[in-house]
């Protein structure tokens, strides 16, 4: 998934990427390995070449909250704490095996003070982080959980390939049950929209014709097996005096298994 964080895709940040690839150190990280720990001094930032990282904030009660993600092609780190030499406000954990190019906070500060272009890049980064945080705050207060989920789907259609339902719920500040309910509601809405755009008028009639042939074949097969049965049950029916009554009773006995009303209900349920 590219550009989960919009600023990472801006052309100006190519210089930041080149800085990490040129001056940073390559590191392979395992899934669930921590890049930064909440409460510890934030000392590094990195460019993600492969993998996925989650940002976790633990509250005073010990509950963990997913507050953000960084994907391949983006940057990872507690940026404000890094530049201000403060303790990290979040833990940053690899959500998959990853490869990063990391640099120290001191090296990043030196890079941003190199010239006017890099100073402008630092300003743009600060602005983008502010806008991203501000927009997320507005969304949390002004949008319903369904709207938040639909926004996520619209902006990042393949996010479900990387993020579990439980994490999505934490990121959107709802329960996993709410996410499941939203998905079911969306599925019903999509089904209704499809039915409106592509109405089916002749399906029940076609379906009934197929069932007619199936029923006829079943009856034929049943009487055929009776005929070849070793006790010649079929022949005994015709040899008796009341063969017509017996045959009629047998016919209605087995045709009841294929009652027409059942076909109509089944056909309607499949087509609506």
């Amino acid at each position: 998934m590219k550009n989960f964080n919009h600023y990472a895709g801006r052309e100006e940040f190519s210089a930041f990427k080149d800085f990490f690839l040129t001056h940073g150190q390559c590191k392979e990280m395992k899934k669930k390995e921590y890049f930064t720990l909440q409460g510890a001094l934030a000392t590094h930032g990195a460019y993600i070449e492969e993998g996925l990282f989650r940002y976790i904030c633990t509250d005073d009660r010990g509950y963990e909250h997913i507050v953000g993600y960084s994907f391949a092609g983006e940057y990872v780190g507690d940026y404000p704490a890094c530049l201000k030499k403060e303790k990290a406000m979040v833990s940053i954990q690899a959500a998959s095996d990853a490869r990063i190019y990391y640099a120290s906070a001191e090296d990043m500060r030196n890079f941003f003070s190199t010239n006017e272009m890099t100073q402008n890049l630092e300003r743009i980064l600060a602005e983008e982080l502010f806008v991203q945080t501000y927009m997320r705050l507005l969304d949390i207060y002004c949008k319903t959980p369904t709207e938040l989920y639909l926004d996520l789907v619209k902006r990042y259609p393949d996010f479900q390939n990387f993020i579990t339902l439980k994490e999505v719920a934490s990121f959107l500040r709802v329960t996993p049950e709410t996410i499941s309910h939203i998905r079911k509601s969306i599925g019903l809405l999509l089904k209704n929209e499809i039915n409106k755009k592509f109405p089916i008028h002749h399906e029940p009639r076609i379906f009934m014709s197929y069932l007619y042939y199936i029923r006829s074949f079943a009856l034929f097969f049943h009487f055929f097996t009776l005929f070849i049965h070793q006790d010649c049950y079929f022949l005994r029916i015709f040899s008796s005096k009341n063969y017509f009554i017996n045959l009629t009773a047998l016919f209605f006995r087995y045709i009841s298994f294929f009652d027409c009303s059942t076909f109509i209900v089944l056909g309607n349920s499949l087509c609506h």
Side-chain angles (χ1 to χ4, degrees), residues 4-272:
F4 186 89
N5 303 291
H6 294 297
Y7 68 87
R10 293 187 56 164
E11 185 178 352
E12 299 96 319
F13 282 91
S14 60
F16 200 30
K17 173 183 174 181
D18 293 339
F19 159 73
F20 281 110
L21 295 178
T22 304
H23 299 91
Q25 299 182 53
C26 183
K27 181 179 180 180
E28 301 281 346
M29 296 190 67
K30 297 295 184 182
K31 183 177 180 179
K32 295 187 177 182
E33 185 178 350
Y34 284 92
F35 178 75
T36 299
L37 285 172
Q38 182 176 339
L41 191 65
T43 57
H44 293 84
Y47 171 77
I48 307 171
E49 186 174 61
E50 295 179 5
L52 161 67
F53 288 81
R54 63 171 70 95
Y55 290 70
I56 307 169
C57 184
T58 306
D59 62 27
D60 294 336
R61 297 169 298 173
Y63 294 110
E64 293 184 345
H65 306 274
I66 306 295
V67 297
Y69 289 93
S70 288
F71 289 81
E74 299 180 349
Y75 308 93
V76 61
D78 190 332
Y79 175 73
C82 243
L83 296 187
K84 295 169 66 176
K85 300 180 181 179
E86 295 179 348
K87 294 180 179 180
M89 295 179 286
V90 295
S91 294
I92 304 175
Q93 183 187 47
S96 67
D97 291 344
R99 181 187 298 116
I100 62 172
Y101 286 85
Y102 70 96
S104 67
E106 185 65 29
D107 288 339
M108 286 191 290
R109 285 192 289 269
N110 292 336
F111 166 75
F112 284 127
S113 61
T114 301
N115 53 44
E116 185 177 351
M117 184 199 74
T118 56
Q119 290 174 2
N120 187 52
L121 180 62
E122 183 179 20
R123 177 185 61 81
I124 293 173
L125 177 59
E127 289 175 353
E128 289 286 353
L129 291 175
F130 170 77
V131 170
Q132 181 174 288
T133 303
Y134 184 61
M135 293 303 296
R136 178 159 167 75
L137 181 65
L138 290 178
D139 286 347
I140 289 173
Y141 276 95
C142 300
K143 293 186 177 182
T144 65
T146 300
E147 290 172 332
L148 291 173
Y149 183 84
L150 289 174
D151 282 348
L152 191 62
V153 172
K154 184 177 179 180
R155 291 165 61 188
Y156 322 111
D158 57 344
F159 77 92
Q160 296 180 77
N161 297 331
F162 306 94
I163 305 173
T164 65
L165 183 145
K166 183 178 179 180
E167 290 186 7
V168 172
S170 179
F171 183 64
L172 298 182
R173 295 173 57 82
V174 296
T175 63
E177 290 75 18
T178 299
I179 297 297
S180 296
H181 178 72
I182 290 172
R183 287 180 175 178
K184 290 179 181 178
S185 300
I186 292 173
L188 291 175
L189 289 174
L190 290 175
K191 182 178 179 181
N192 291 335
E193 287 298 320
I194 291 173
N195 288 337
K196 288 179 182 178
K197 292 183 178 180
F198 306 99
I200 302 175
H201 301 294
H202 304 292
E203 186 71 15
R205 184 178 299 176
I206 296 173
F207 183 72
M208 288 295 294
S209 65
Y210 281 124
L211 291 180
Y212 172 79
Y213 289 114
I214 294 173
R215 182 177 59 180
S216 299
F217 174 78
L219 289 171
F220 170 78
F221 181 77
H222 175 73
F223 283 113
F224 179 75
T225 54
L226 287 177
F227 181 77
I228 63 173
H229 197 271
Q230 62 180 359
D231 60 2
C232 297
Y233 180 63
F234 185 74
L235 294 179
R236 286 162 56 193
I237 292 175
F238 286 95
S239 64
S240 65
K241 294 181 180 180
N242 299 319
Y243 72 91
F244 180 78
I245 296 176
N246 292 339
L247 180 61
T248 304
L250 185 65
F251 176 80
F252 282 105
R253 176 186 174 187
Y254 286 97
I255 201 172
S256 63
F257 287 102
F258 305 94
D259 185 71
C260 291
S261 62
T262 305
F263 297 148
I264 294 172
V265 173
L266 179 59
N268 289 334
S269 66
L270 291 176
C271 300
H272 296 288

